[in-house]
Amino acid sequence: MLSRKTKYAINALVYLARYEDEQPISVSRIAEDRHIPLKFLEAILTELKNARILKSKKGKYGGYSLNGRPEEIDLAQVVRLFDGAIALLPCVTHDYYEPCEECVDEETCGIRQVALEIRNATVARLKGATLASILERERKMRE
Amino acid sequence: MLSRKTKYAINALVYLARYEDEQPISVSRIAEDRHIPLKFLEAILTELKNARILKSKKGKYGGYSLNGRPEEIDLAQVVRLFDGAIALLPCVTHDYYEPCEECVDEETCGIRQVALEIRNATVARLKGATLASILERERKMRE
DNA sequence: ATTAATCCCATAGAATAGGTAGGAATAAAA
DNA sequence: TTTTATTCCTACCTATTCTATGGGATTAAT
């Protein structure tokens, strides 16, 4: 399951994409509109900024903006940032690779194969889930 | 990522399937062979027994046995038992269903669709990963 | 009786999740 | 130049979950 942090992050990003032309948007506006604890969201947006997914503008009338087009920002990036590896096992991740401590022989590990297939399928879908595509889906469903 | 508990459980189950004709097998044997902390494994096998995935025989020469054929026991059952829901969001699980607190409109939620597709694909693969199929994969790979 | 198991209950340290508090720095507007 | 609205920074806090460990009661085969 995704952590609250990740879900809040996704919600905030979708919000920013939706009101793209009103950027920069303040943390407090997003927090109120999406019912996210203010200070918690502040920390989340800071992380997104450090990861260069968002950019910020300080001072009055400042706030956060997407650092890139909604087509370029996808859920794989966000999930990895907050929840770490997407895979079920450390030995099938690309970014966070580590052997399984208890794995006697990685080459012939039957669980590993399954985990690898699941990872590949999941990553592909998360990468396909860009902010743009999420907004598009929502638009279609509202009809 | 799967918890250690789940990984230990899977390892123990594969071990039992592999030495099916030597059942019942004691906790201490599995713990030593697979390098799992004894008392921790004891608790894990108790849970598997309560879930009727294993059965036990007390006293000398006792131990644990699979409660069913290796074709009938799959990773979806095990993962659900120890790590809970497989889905990324509570609103797309079957067993543990809960709405997302912050979700304004579940019907038109764009993230939900993605999460649902991922869940379906993942569950299908985990259900396909029976103990029998895992052993079969390992056999093939050793060639 | 002895031995080798499971069963049962309680405890505990470490890490993580989720959230809070207060104030400094910055920048636009009045 | 003061006010106002914002991000930035640092520190803290609590509850829960994860990963175990310890001791002894019960059961059953030899």
Side-chain angles (χ1 to χ4, degrees), chain B residues 3-5 8 37 39-40 42 57-61:
Chain B
S3 65
R4 257 189 159 74
K5 211 167 178 177
Y8 288 154
K39 292 297 263 181
F40 198 27
E42 205 180 293
K57 186 166 181 294
K58 293 183 204 170
K60 196 168 181 179
Y61 296 103

Side-chain angles (χ1 to χ4, degrees), chain B residues 78-104:
Chain B
V78 183
V79 171
R80 284 212 176 97
L81 180 61
F82 292 106
D83 283 351
I86 289 165
L88 296 177
L89 298 177
C91 62
V92 295
T93 63
H94 192 59
D95 331 15
Y96 299 81
Y97 176 83
E98 263 185 74
C100 288
E101 332 76 41
E102 59 274 332
C103 195
V104 184

